[in-house]
Amino acid sequence: MDSTSRRIQDILVRQGQLIHGRDSEDDTGMTYTSIIEWKEKSGLLPSTTSSEGNQHQNETRQQWYETGYDYWEDESKCPATVDGVLGGFASLSKRDLEGSADFIRNMRSSIRPELKLTKEDNNGVPTRACECGAGIGRVSKGLLLPLGITQCDLVEPSPRLISSAPEYLGDQYSSRCRFFCTGLQEFEPKAQYYDIIWIQWVIGYLTDDDLVDFLKRCAVGLRKGGVIIIKDNTCEQEAFIVDRDDASSTRSLPYILAIAELAGLRVVHQRFQDNFPTNIFPVPLIALEPMD
């Protein structure tokens, strides 16, 4: 049976990359010899092509998203604050945003000068960005709008978090934003609409199939010269680590790049966030564009 996860695993094997993984230390302690073993044991990939197998896969996929939704809707686990959306790491927010701004400035000055940030850059045409998995709008407020983006669209599945965004943004910034309460697996950007689609600390909540499909839709949503930017945790000793508490997975950098390849994207610019503590996952920034 051909599937996105099988194709990803094939790419990693051809590249000589890791394909094994495990559950997080806080979970079951399960280990997996391959991506396919994990997906089959979790029910996210049927071991047969029968209708019963496909039905079970669909039910498991739905439960995966419901678990993540319930986690982020729980005020006790995620207050509608910067510290809440960063899982207790509010102290990293300033460094994170500064690193992201430096990444964009560097890319624009030497690699992607056609990227438009301000209305003035774009011959008077308003520029637009989309913050995916926006939470309360931390990246829009601390990065995208200060860089001069005219309008930000915030996409977030948690009604509780997205409803807190206007107050967090303040009148000056919230008036330049639109708010969409939906999961990324269902979000469909308008064609040729955005200059930047920013996807940070959220791809782990999407299954492989849904992430590839979402990135394909994002590619359609880019204006000429625009970029998709993924910023997320990565693991180095395994291909993936599964967190069952919030239904997420941390992927290796080669795993993420294989997904981008299947989505028809290529890397424009890539580097790792610096100045983060050494005891947390490495965080790359990856700017992507359509291959054709």
Side-chain angles (χ1 to χ4, degrees), residues 72 82 84-87 89-97 100 131-135 138-139 155-157 184 198-206 229-234 246 248-251 256 273 276-277 280-285:
W72 291 104
V82 171
V85 297
L86 291 185
F89 286 94
S91 61
L92 297 183
S93 187
K94 184 173 184 292
R95 277 178 278 178
D96 167 67
L97 295 169
S100 297
E131 182 186 358
C132 299
R138 185 187 68 92
V139 173
V155 183
E156 167 58 46
L184 299 184
W198 191 273
I199 310 168
Q200 182 167 354
W201 284 324
V202 69
I203 63 171
Y205 295 95
L206 294 178
I229 299 177
I230 294 175
K231 186 172 186 179
D232 218 300
N233 296 341
T234 55
D246 65 354
S248 68
S249 63
T250 300
R251 300 174 173 96
I256 294 172
Q273 168 78 37
F276 271 11
I280 67 172
F281 287 118
V283 179
L285 297 97

Side-chain angles (χ1 to χ4, degrees), residues 136-179:
I136 59 175
R138 185 187 68 92
V139 173
S140 291
K141 181 177 181 177
L143 174 69
L144 299 171
L145 292 166
L147 282 175
I149 292 291
T150 311
Q151 174 189 300
C152 281
D153 287 351
L154 282 64
V155 183
E156 167 58 46
S158 167
R160 183 178 60 85
L161 293 177
I162 198 72
S163 65
S164 300
E167 181 178 356
Y168 170 73
L169 290 164
D171 292 341
Q172 178 186 359
Y173 282 159
S174 63
S175 62
R176 293 163 55 190
C177 295
R178 301 190 304 169
F179 306 93

Side-chain angles (χ1 to χ4, degrees), residues 161-288:
L161 293 177
I162 198 72
S163 65
S164 300
E167 181 178 356
Y168 170 73
L169 290 164
D171 292 341
Q172 178 186 359
Y173 282 159
S174 63
S175 62
R176 293 163 55 190
C177 295
R178 301 190 304 169
F179 306 93
F180 298 85
C181 187
T182 186
L184 299 184
Q185 71 275 16
E186 298 167 345
F187 179 63
E188 187 159 353
K190 291 183 180 179
Q192 300 179 13
Y193 194 74
Y194 295 111
D195 300 284
I196 296 177
I197 298 178
W198 191 273
I199 310 168
Q200 182 167 354
W201 284 324
V202 69
I203 63 171
Y205 295 95
L206 294 178
T207 66
D208 290 343
D209 296 275
D210 285 336
L211 181 52
V212 169
D213 288 344
F214 169 64
L215 291 175
K216 287 179 179 178
R217 297 194 300 273
C218 287
V220 174
L222 287 179
R223 283 174 166 170
K224 183 178 180 180
V227 289
I228 299 163
I229 299 177
I230 294 175
K231 186 172 186 179
D232 218 300
N233 296 341
T234 55
C235 49
E236 296 181 304
Q237 305 303 316
E238 303 92 359
F240 58 91
I241 299 174
V242 185
D243 188 335
R244 297 185 182 277
D245 188 35
D246 65 354
S248 68
S249 63
T250 300
R251 300 174 173 96
S252 67
L253 180 57
Y255 195 147
I256 294 172
L257 294 177
I259 285 173
E261 178 183 333
L262 290 181
L265 301 171
R266 63 180 167 222
V267 176
V268 175
H269 185 39
Q270 176 183 313
R271 78 178 192 198
F272 279 88
Q273 168 78 37
D274 56 14
N275 298 325
F276 271 11
T278 57
N279 63 339
I280 67 172
F281 287 118
V283 179
L285 297 97
I286 312 163
L288 302 162

